[in-house]
Amino acid sequence: MVKSDPLVVVVGAGPAGMAAARTLVEGGLRPLVLDKQPAPGGRMWQQPAGSRQPCGLPGHDAETAERARKEFLDLAERIDWYPGTTVVDATRGRLWAMGPGGEVDETSWDALLVAAGALDRVVPLPGWTLPGVYTLGGAQTALKALGCAVGRRVGFLGTGPLLWLAAAQHLVAGVEVAVVADTSRWTGAMRALPDLLADRARLALGLRCLRMLRGAGVPIRRGIRAAAIEGGENVTGIALATRRGPRRFACDAVAIGVGLVPQTQLLDLLDAPFDLDAESGVWLPRADRAGRTPVEKVFVAGDGARPLGAAAAALSGERAALAILEDIGRPFDRDRAARLERDLERHVRFARGLARAFPFPAGLEAGIASDTVVCRCEGVAAGAITAAVRAFGCHEVNAVKALTRCGMGRCQGRLCGLAAARIAAVTAGVALAEAGRLRAQAPIEPLPARVRRTAPDAVA
Amino acid sequence: MDEPADPPDTRFGRWVRLDGAEPEGVPFTIDGEPAEGRNGDTLLTAILTVRPDLGPLPPDRRVRAGFCLIGLCQDCWVRLEDGRRVRACTTPLEPGMAIRLETSDRAW
Ligand SMILES: Cc1cc2nc3c(=O)[nH]c(=O)nc-3n(C[C@H](O)[C@H](O)[C@H](O)COP(=O)(O)OP(=O)(O)OC[C@H]3O[C@@H](n4cnc5c(N)ncnc54)[C@H](O)[C@@H]3O)c2cc1C
Ligand code: FES
């Protein structure tokens, strides 16, 4: 490598970041790759702890995961790989990251690829802050990577493919599944079928999960209109309002989730623009088909750009890497780029089908009770948001945050930002887009108090 | 620490280990009490397989037991005996780690 080679930084070593790193190395570059996790793999291909290898879980191909991680680690000589390192701040041309020992270092970059993945989206429900309630992805992570179940009898509540997949995986792992409660209805799935046929393997996986759960006699409730998690000190059950009346299911843990939200805080700090996806109510970073954002030399790939799944994440990581090569004036394979974009189309179609089959339960979010906690970090209830909107006549979510502290806590509104915006919009009687988007602030993750970052000196 | 009205059964952990085999034990302590985790555990795994939760954390002193498990919700920060604060779900367990749950909520 020549000293003057441009420095490409990849944030995230999930399927997207790993594919990008490989493609950049093939292009003759030596990328710097950081991930806050101690091992590569991301959500889907996460390294299992110690010797724990879950076997036979539906939708979990341990061999593919292991091969992908090994392929990446084989690159180690040709990339600069920093595991256990969290990127906490970024400006044009620079970023700051906290290493495993809590030290914060600064690096420059000529091109930046944000491949930070997604987080479960949750709708605040009564009782969702009780110990024993986890995100679907959290429960799944415990099972796949930590060798644990988050409880002895787990209820699954929400909507989306992960709801069914996670429930079926728990069943196979020998964990009792109390109930699968989905806000969506079968009719939506029927209408979605043409688009879902775009990925027959994933469709078949979904149907297999459903068959397994049914075969095992797991209670399945669809078309849930309202739900509450019950318990005083701990979770004791789930109460549901179904079309056939109220139902209760006893359990000591609950996994909740209604889809995925891209993790876009770094793009936010770099002033990248976002667009509201009207159907889901999620703000997606603006990018072309190759993953270029309108901000010069800033790229986005994988679930962090748009949640399309692991296979698509790898394709988009590769595509974004080709765009980086192109934009810094390196040779790149145009045909390969076109092929990747075509392949991605299929995943976009499948995702459209999923959105139709498992629509976001906006009614559940809008109909929140005033004493239900929205912001779990600061303990702000829905009523405080409604009151602030009424009293001050404002509905913009960052103003609501300043007034109520909703979204001001340690997670920076990652979990409550969308719900807060919807509550504000509904209260004020304006369109969701009017409530805007909670902006991220540096550092995007809490730093231990003893870390004192040197001020990001005059970076132009 | 306030005594909860209905104290959860602290003899057991909240989480259940699924692997049958007993891999290598890793000794650590919680509030001075000896405990054992396993090789490859995160701090959160080690704690929640022997305890029901992480205790009450600020700002609202709500009892927390992790939520996202992937380092995003920040619901799992704990304090170590040496004064360090760490995010339990992304911190690997090391032999001899001394966790202080009783004072985890002090001085955020
Ligand atoms: C909880 C969860 C469970 C899922 N389960 C399934 C499943 O069972 N089956 C399926 O098909 N799909 C599943 N998905 C979707 C699937 O995981 C993704 O499609 C795929 O992993 C996306 O790849 P990615 O590279 O875009 O992101 P990820 O795999 O999420 O990787 C992103 C990486 O970026 C790192 N990162 C993020 N922010 C920073 C930062 N600031 N500094 C440093 N590193 C950072 C993260 O640690 C992570 O390793 C799941 C998603 C989630 C969120
Ligand atoms: S459990 Fe969410 S950050 Fe640790």
Side-chain angles (χ1 to χ4, degrees):
Chain A
M1 169 172 132
V2 210
K3 215 171 167 60
S4 60
D5 267 352
L7 178 59
V8 181
V9 173
V10 178
V11 182
M18 292 194 292
R22 193 192 58 231
T23 310
L24 291 166
V25 167
E26 287 164 9
L29 295 176
R30 185 183 179 89
L32 190 152
V33 187
L34 314 106
D35 198 301
K36 74 171 113 180
Q37 298 289 346
R43 293 271 56 77
M44 186 64 187
W45 294 334
Q46 194 170 3
Q47 169 104 47
S51 56
R52 286 155 222 176
Q53 268 300 349
C55 24
L57 298 185
H60 180 63
D61 180 357
E63 267 170 41
T64 307
E66 172 134 24
R67 198 175 331 116
R69 287 194 304 269
K70 185 169 175 307
E71 252 177 50
F72 177 77
L73 292 173
D74 286 346
L75 283 180
E77 309 264 282
R78 299 155 74 192
I79 63 177
D80 292 308
W81 163 229
Y82 290 89
T85 305
T86 304
V87 179
V88 292
D89 194 1
T91 60
R92 297 282 172 96
R94 302 226 180 151
L95 61 79
W96 289 263
M98 177 174 60
E103 72 288 359
V104 174
D105 279 326
E106 181 183 340
T107 179
S108 62
W109 49 266
D110 297 299
L112 180 67
L113 174 61
V114 180
L119 172 65
D120 293 81
R121 182 177 187 186
V122 290
V123 169
L125 297 169
W128 76 293
T129 55
L130 285 171
V133 182
Y134 293 93
T135 60
L136 282 172
Q140 203 190 25
T141 298
L143 200 71
K144 290 200 315 194
L146 308 176
C148 289
V150 292
R152 285 153 186 86
R153 192 175 147 83
V154 187
F156 292 81
L157 176 59
T159 193
L162 275 180
L163 180 77
W164 297 86
L165 181 63
Q169 288 176 335
H170 278 72
L171 187 72
V172 171
V175 182
E176 201 179 341
V177 177
V179 63
V180 181
D182 192 326
T183 51
S184 72
R185 301 167 61 169
W186 299 117
T187 45
M190 292 302 155
R191 276 199 301 272
L193 203 56
D195 279 334
L196 292 178
L197 284 168
D199 192 337
R200 282 163 201 259
R202 285 177 74 194
L203 176 60
L205 171 64
L207 294 173
R208 185 154 74 92
C209 291
L210 178 60
R211 265 199 315 276
M212 289 167 71
L213 290 159
R214 274 202 173 141
V218 170
I220 291 172
R221 296 290 179 273
R222 299 204 62 159
I224 300 303
R225 290 165 172 171
I229 297 162
E230 300 185 322
E233 295 291 332
N234 282 293
V235 171
T236 54
I238 301 180
L240 303 172
T242 71
R243 276 171 298 155
R244 298 213 186 100
R247 292 281 184 280
R248 275 201 78 255
F249 296 90
C251 52
D252 65 352
V254 181
I256 58 173
V258 292
L260 299 174
V261 194
Q263 291 302 295
T264 52
Q265 289 75 16
L266 289 172
L267 295 171
D268 214 356
L269 298 182
L270 292 160
D271 292 327
F274 291 77
D275 297 302
L276 182 68
D277 177 51
E279 227 168 284
S280 63
V282 173
W283 293 85
L284 298 174
R286 195 175 303 161
D288 70 7
R289 282 149 55 97
R292 281 183 194 88
T293 73
V295 183
E296 204 190 344
K297 301 277 177 6
V298 175
F299 301 77
V300 61
D303 275 10
R306 179 172 180 178
L308 298 176
L315 295 173
S316 77
E318 186 177 340
R319 179 64 191 91
L322 294 178
I324 292 173
L325 291 171
E326 179 179 9
D327 290 6
I328 61 176
R330 294 294 169 110
F332 79 105
D333 184 343
R334 247 169 235 290
D335 293 339
R336 183 173 164 195
R339 202 167 52 239
L340 287 165
E341 287 185 15
R342 265 198 313 278
D343 286 353
L344 275 165
E345 271 308 310
R346 195 168 62 87
H347 294 275
V348 170
R349 214 180 105 202
F350 184 74
R352 201 166 54 215
L354 286 179
R356 201 162 292 164
F358 305 103
F360 174 72
L364 204 60
E365 193 173 64
I368 188 169
S370 68
D371 59 350
T372 299
V373 170
V374 178
C375 168
R376 59 191 284 127
C377 298
E378 296 285 322
V380 180
I385 300 174
T386 332
V389 171
R390 294 214 175 101
F392 296 92
C394 66
H395 51 256
E396 202 277 323
V397 68
N398 293 285
V400 170
K401 169 181 164 185
L403 289 167
T404 62
R405 299 194 61 80
C406 181
M408 214 178 260
R410 291 194 281 253
C411 92
Q412 289 210 357
R414 282 175 172 83
L415 290 166
C416 68
L418 293 173
R422 168 131 14 222
I423 295 164
V426 168
T427 309
V430 299
L432 188 58
E434 303 275 306
R437 193 177 55 85
L438 212 50
R439 280 187 300 271
Q441 269 155 6
I444 60 167
E445 294 198 9
L447 301 177
R450 64 195 185 89
V451 173
R452 288 279 169 266
R453 197 193 81 191
T454 43
D457 48 275
V459 185
Chain B
M1 194 161 74
D2 296 339
E3 199 56 34
D6 176 21
D9 195 339
T10 47
R11 286 173 306 166
F12 302 111
R14 172 176 299 284
W15 293 5
V16 189
R17 291 195 192 270
L18 296 169
D19 41 338
E22 284 284 321
E24 197 185 324
V26 179
F28 70 104
T29 63
I30 303 178
D31 299 331
E33 269 182 46
E36 197 174 80
R38 305 263 186 94
N39 207 6
D41 275 357
T42 65
L43 222 46
L44 191 66
T45 312
I47 298 170
L48 292 181
T49 46
V50 297
R51 291 288 183 98
D53 52 63
L54 306 174
L57 298 184
D60 55 356
R61 295 186 54 80
R62 176 167 58 76
V63 172
R64 283 157 161 88
F67 183 63
C68 74
L69 273 48
I70 57 169
L72 288 172
C73 76
Q74 320 299 339
D75 242 9
C76 67
W77 284 73
V78 297
R79 189 175 278 276
L80 302 183
E81 212 68 78
D82 63 11
R84 267 190 300 158
R85 273 190 329 238
V86 293
R87 183 169 51 205
C89 75
T90 53
T91 307
L93 175 72
E94 288 161 28
M97 267 185 168
I99 299 157
R100 269 247 92 90
L101 294 183
E102 279 172 355
T103 55
S104 278
D105 60 337
R106 212 188 287 150
W108 242 91

